[in-house]
């Protein structure tokens, strides 16, 4: 039976992190939309938890960051990673810390990370993040969010997508006619039925994640997010387990925890839930630890990217378009960044300030970036076996051999010193994963809604750790604090949250300011102009260090804070140059 058909510009399928973020961003852009999620509530699984600096910049732009910081882990409560033999026990190999590393912009990394962004990273597990995002989405679009609604079927027509939706409370179906559909469905429905090929290795490992409550305040510390366990019995760090604090109190008094064990997908033991609690207690060497298991979940590890991200009027986003190992925490972060890239483009196309061609740049921009991210995540995942080797663990070796390797590692004398030095150096290569500052901020769009100015991209750091700010088109606008009427604003604040472009220029940029007004009027697009040194002050000289333009140059910034175009100097006809650049970006060239 059909009730109340709906006509709407955008239908979002999926109420996970990517779909809910899409809804928040579209509401801020003033785009009417409907989000449907087949489950009655947000996810009960802890899943992803690390929200990197780029994601928090996006949430800051869209007015969500403050709510997340209020409840998420402060950096001093999660800015380190450690490798240990166990938490408890009193054997000669128990409770040994093998190594500790600053991570995610914490501790020794903090000053560098803070210089590059108006925000820092936080940690907030998905099972708590999703309800928060849902509240934010419902506040902005009270009638836009429908849980317990499932898209059963759909067809593409000349006018967009017509979907059949089941209200699972009433068992009634209705039709949604949408101009565009965002498939943020985790790859469960739309992509497979459209025959989208997910390219890359799949079914690599079954990650079994156990979410539990326990008091570990005696054994944890206040600064560690993840403890990796390495011991002779584990054979590998993934097999031995990695443990993550899950809050809601942060630090040693965290109430909840997750331990991840990796199983081979053909290992029948992986579904033996009875064995999980004894295994957990054995891993921690805390045989009498009272603990309450909430959920044991399975997660098949892939490194796959969709061959097509746009199919007619349907766009794949988040896990629907890419799935990768958890290492470097790029899964959810990349999905939120997909939503950010797609939604400003949808807003401009739907308001007729851009043509449909702008939407093609979603795939040409996001697919290469997400492919690089998936490869990086896989590399960082595999690098844990380098750590295993670096501390002397030999997979398949008899237990006595691996036990002897651990005794040697902790022995006195020259050999012990050498083995510990090797362990330190080897484990430090995992900065690929935990200090991936350039991976998180330095990715750029080579092809898309950007105009190449013929300059060469700065070289990327080979460890992924050192980010180089640049205003080269296709790159994220560098952050610099500016003074404005006694207040401090970031260069990132110039685009605001409603989808305006920004033009940043210098003390001699008056002609660009005039050109921006003309371009804005001609193309019907808001452009916020910041003349630095005139209406904004470069109070700590950061902009002059990262801006890469002369006093008469200009940088055109997209609503997602990526540089669309720049002129490093003045121009004979600024109005023509700026208007044609903007028209090209908007697919109106
Ligand atoms: C058990 C588990 C543990 C994980 N752990 C980690 C981790 O530790 N670190 C990490 O980085 N990542 C982890 N991930 C991955 C991370 O959670 C994902 O990258 C992230 O959830 C992707 O968000 P998304 O919104 O794209 O997709 P999802 O979160 O999968 O959301 C998609 C939503 O679409 C809904 N849906 C599908 N089809 C329909 C339909 N036809 N109609 C209506 N709704 C539909 C689904 O019900 C689902 O809620 C884990 C994933 C799982 C499953």
């Amino acid at each position: 039976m059909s009730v109340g058909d709906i006509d709407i510009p955008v239908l979002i399928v999926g109420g996970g992190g990517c779909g809910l973020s899409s809804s928040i961003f579209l509401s801020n852009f003033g785009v009417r939309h409907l989000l449907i999620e087949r489950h009655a509530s947000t996810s009960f699984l802890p899943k992803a938890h690390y929200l990197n600096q780029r994601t928090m910049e996006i949430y800051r732009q869209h007015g969500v960051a403050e709510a997340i910081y209020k409840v998420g882990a402060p950096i001093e409560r999660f800015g380190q990673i450690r490798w240990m033999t166990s938490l408890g026990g009193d054997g000669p190999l128990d409770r040994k810390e093998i190594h500790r590393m600053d991570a995610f912009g914490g501790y020794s990394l903090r000053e560098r990370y803070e210089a590059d962004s108006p925000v820092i990273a936080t940690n907030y597990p998905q099972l708590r993040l999703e309800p928060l995002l849902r509240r934010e989405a419902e506040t902005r679009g009270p009638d836009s969010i429908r849980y317990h609604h499932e898209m059963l079927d759909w067809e593409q027509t000349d006018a967009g997508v017509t979907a059949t939706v089941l209200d699972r409370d009433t068992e009634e179906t209705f039709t949604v006619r949408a101009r565009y559909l965002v498939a943020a469905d985790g790859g469960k429905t739309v992509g497979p039925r459209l025959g989208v090929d997910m390219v890359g290795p799949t079914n690599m490992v079954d990650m079994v994640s156990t979410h539990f409550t326990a008091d570990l305040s005696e054994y944890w510390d206040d600064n560690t997010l993840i403890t990796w366990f390495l011991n002779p019995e584990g054979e590998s760090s993934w097999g031995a387990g990695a443990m993550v604090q899950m809050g809601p109190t942060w630090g040693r008094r965290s109430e909840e925890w997750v331990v991840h064990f990796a199983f081979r997908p053909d290992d029948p033991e992986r579904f033996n839930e009875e064995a999980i609690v004894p295994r957990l207690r054995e891993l921690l060497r805390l045989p009498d630890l009272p603990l309450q298991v909430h959920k044991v979940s399975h997660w098949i590890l892939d490194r796959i990217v969709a061959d097509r991200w746009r199919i007619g009027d349907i766009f794949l986003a988040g896990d629907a378009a890419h799935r990768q190992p958890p290492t470097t925490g790029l899964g959810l972060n990349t999905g939120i960044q997909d939503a950010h890239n797609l939604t400003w483009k949808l807003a401009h196309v739907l308001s007729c300030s851009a043509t449909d061609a702008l939407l093609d740049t979603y795939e040409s921009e996001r697919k290469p970036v997400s492919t690089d991210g998936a490869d990086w995540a896989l590399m960082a995942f595999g690098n844990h076996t380098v750590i295993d080797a670096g501390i002397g663990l030999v997979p398949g070796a008899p237990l006595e051999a691996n036990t002897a390797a651990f005794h040697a590692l902790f022995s006195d004398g020259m050999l012990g010193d050498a083995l510990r030095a090797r362990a330190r150096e080897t484990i430090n290569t995992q900065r690929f994963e935990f200090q991936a500052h350039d991976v998180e901020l330095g990715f750029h769009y080579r092809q898309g809604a950007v105009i190449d100015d013929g300059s060469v991209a700065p070289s990327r750091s080979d460890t992924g750790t050192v980010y180089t700010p640049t205003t080269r088109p296709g790159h994220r606008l560098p952050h610099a604090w500016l003074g404005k009427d006694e207040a401090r604003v970031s260069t990132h604040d110039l685009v605001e949250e409603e989808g305006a472009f920004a033009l940043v220029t210098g003390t001699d940029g008056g002609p660009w300011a005039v050109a921006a007004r003309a371009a804005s009027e001609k193309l019907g697009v808001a452009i916020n102009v910041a003349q630095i040194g005139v209406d904004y002050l470069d109070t700590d000289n950061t902009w002059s260090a990262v801006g890469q333009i002369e006093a008469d140059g200009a940088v055109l910034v997209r609503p997602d804070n990526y540089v669309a175009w720049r002129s490093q100097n003045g121009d004979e006809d600024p109005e023509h140059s700026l208007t044609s650049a903007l028209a090209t970006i908007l697919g109106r060239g």
Side-chain angles (χ1 to χ4, degrees):
M1 160 180 181
S2 245
V3 288
D5 294 351
I6 294 177
D7 285 284
I8 197 96
V10 180
L11 174 63
I12 302 168
V13 181
C18 177
L20 288 166
S21 298
S22 303
S23 167
I24 292 168
F25 305 157
L26 285 175
S27 287
N28 286 344
F29 293 142
V31 175
R32 279 195 315 118
H33 61 278
L34 179 69
L35 179 153
I36 52 166
E37 162 56 52
R38 66 183 172 193
H39 290 120
S41 75
T42 51
S43 176
F44 294 120
L45 305 178
K47 302 208 250 182
H49 46 87
Y50 169 52
L51 299 172
N52 70 30
Q53 263 184 313
R54 181 62 198 136
T55 294
M56 291 311 293
E57 286 177 353
I58 292 169
Y59 281 149
R60 178 175 181 271
Q61 179 190 357
H62 282 280
V64 188
E66 225 167 278
I68 298 175
Y69 284 127
K70 252 188 214 155
V71 285
I75 189 74
E76 61 276 14
R77 291 280 175 272
F78 79 98
Q80 287 192 330
I81 300 294
R82 61 182 181 169
W83 284 261
M84 293 191 68
T85 54
S86 68
L87 290 186
D90 48 16
L93 296 180
D94 291 335
R95 292 188 191 223
K96 300 257 186 230
E97 182 171 299
I98 301 166
H99 192 55
R100 182 180 281 266
M101 180 186 280
D102 292 343
F104 313 122
Y107 297 90
S108 62
L109 308 170
R110 184 140 180 196
E111 199 180 329
R112 192 157 54 87
Y113 276 56
E114 278 185 343
D116 290 329
S117 174
V119 295
I120 51 175
T122 188
N123 187 71
Y124 198 53
Q126 225 170 310
L127 91 167
R128 284 191 270 278
L129 177 68
E130 286 185 9
L132 184 154
L133 294 176
R134 181 176 173 180
R135 283 194 300 277
E136 295 284 336
E138 285 172 343
T139 305
R140 287 166 174 78
D143 304 319
S144 305
I145 311 292
R146 295 196 193 178
Y147 275 65
H148 224 203
H149 282 65
E150 180 170 8
M151 182 169 80
L152 299 178
D153 204 0
W154 74 90
E155 62 174 37
Q156 295 210 55
T157 67
D158 289 345
V161 182
T162 302
T164 307
V165 174
L166 170 70
D167 177 339
R168 295 177 73 179
D169 285 330
T170 62
E171 294 294 323
E172 289 173 333
T173 60
F174 58 95
T175 299
V176 179
R177 279 180 294 274
R179 181 67 197 87
Y180 296 108
L181 185 149
V182 178
D185 65 349
K188 308 282 190 319
T189 309
V190 179
R193 265 198 254 165
L194 286 171
V196 170
D197 203 5
M198 299 300 289
V199 181
T202 182
N203 221 14
M204 291 185 284
V205 154
D206 183 350
M207 197 65 82
V208 181
S209 306
T210 308
H211 175 207
F212 64 98
T213 290
D215 178 2
L216 290 165
S217 52
E218 210 183 305
Y219 309 100
W220 205 261
D221 63 19
D222 274 338
N223 25 11
T224 299
L225 177 66
I226 307 174
T227 299
W228 292 87
F229 294 105
L230 291 159
N231 55 52
E233 294 82 12
E235 286 204 347
S236 74
S237 40
W238 281 112
M243 180 162 173
V244 189
Q245 57 149 319
M246 283 284 158
T249 302
W250 298 109
R252 69 181 69 230
R253 303 210 176 275
S254 173
E255 295 84 352
E256 295 179 24
W257 308 88
V258 167
V259 168
H260 301 283
F261 293 117
F263 284 82
R264 280 203 329 269
D266 59 357
D267 185 342
E269 266 302 291
R270 70 199 171 107
F271 286 116
N272 184 357
E273 288 198 10
E274 304 261 288
I276 285 285
V277 171
R279 185 171 168 172
L280 250 173
R281 291 197 173 108
E282 171 59 23
L283 169 75
L284 306 179
R285 297 278 194 277
L286 296 170
D288 303 317
L289 178 75
L291 63 88
Q292 181 203 351
V293 172
H294 302 293
K295 183 88 185 148
V296 178
S297 52
H298 291 256
W299 184 33
I300 295 290
L301 231 128
D302 308 310
R303 178 254 158 252
I304 48 178
V305 180
D307 63 342
R308 291 170 294 155
W309 288 45
R310 176 178 190 177
I311 304 99
D313 294 320
I314 296 177
F315 300 88
L316 305 185
D319 268 24
H322 47 80
R323 295 196 283 281
Q324 57 255 304
T327 31
T328 331
L330 293 171
L332 178 63
N333 284 296
T334 306
I336 293 163
Q337 292 161 24
D338 294 340
H340 192 233
N341 184 288
L342 178 59
T343 48
W344 76 265
K345 294 174 181 173
L346 286 170
H348 276 276
V349 171
L350 287 163
S351 70
C352 299
S353 55
T355 70
D356 184 86
L358 178 62
L359 294 173
D360 287 334
T361 68
Y362 169 64
E363 175 174 321
S364 65
E365 292 183 353
R366 293 304 299 167
K367 186 179 164 192
V369 162
S370 133
T371 305
D372 288 351
D375 286 336
W376 193 271
L378 183 59
M379 185 270 279
F381 181 78
N383 200 61
H384 283 274
T385 61
V386 174
I387 294 178
D388 298 340
I391 58 152
L393 267 177
V394 179
L399 181 60
E400 306 83 72
N402 281 337
T403 306
F406 269 78
H407 281 293
L409 181 67
F410 298 118
S411 65
D412 293 331
M414 202 171 153
L415 180 67
D417 288 343
L419 291 171
R420 285 188 292 278
R422 181 180 72 173
R424 263 195 315 277
E425 286 195 22
T426 316
I427 298 178
N428 275 334
T429 61
Q430 206 59 30
R431 60 189 184 281
F432 291 136
E433 175 177 3
F434 298 120
Q435 301 179 0
H437 192 41
D438 190 39
V439 174
E440 293 171 346
L441 294 187
F443 61 83
H444 66 278
Y445 302 135
R446 293 176 186 84
Q447 221 191 341
V450 293
I451 298 175
D452 189 355
D453 69 352
S455 61
V456 177
S459 54
R460 303 289 301 270
S461 127
D462 55 7
T463 49
T465 55
V466 182
Y467 159 72
T468 308
T470 174
T471 56
R472 183 173 177 268
H475 293 250
R476 165 187 164 276
L477 178 72
H479 152 73
W481 288 117
L482 304 171
K484 169 86 174 157
D485 306 332
E486 307 292 311
R488 191 172 81 143
V489 298
S490 166
T491 43
H492 281 211
D493 298 332
L494 301 172
V495 296
E496 298 175 350
E497 67 179 35
E498 296 88 5
F501 280 73
L503 189 81
V504 190
T505 181
T507 42
D508 300 335
W512 288 116
V514 175
R517 278 193 292 278
S520 172
E521 226 163 81
K522 193 161 184 184
L523 297 171
V525 174
I527 306 175
N528 298 328
V529 179
Q531 212 181 331
I532 296 176
V534 179
D535 43 6
Y536 289 83
L537 298 179
D538 187 13
T539 29
D540 49 10
N541 291 322
T542 316
W543 174 252
S544 56
V546 298
Q548 299 176 330
I549 54 168
E550 299 299 328
D552 58 353
V555 176
L556 179 66
V557 185
R558 312 189 319 191
D560 61 352
N561 267 320
Y562 272 73
V563 176
W565 165 91
R566 79 174 167 183
S567 171
Q568 288 181 281
N569 298 97
D571 191 287
E572 278 183 5
D573 189 350
E575 183 180 327
H576 171 75
S577 299
L578 183 62
T579 308
S580 61
L582 185 55
T584 304
I585 300 296
L586 296 171
R588 293 161 65 177

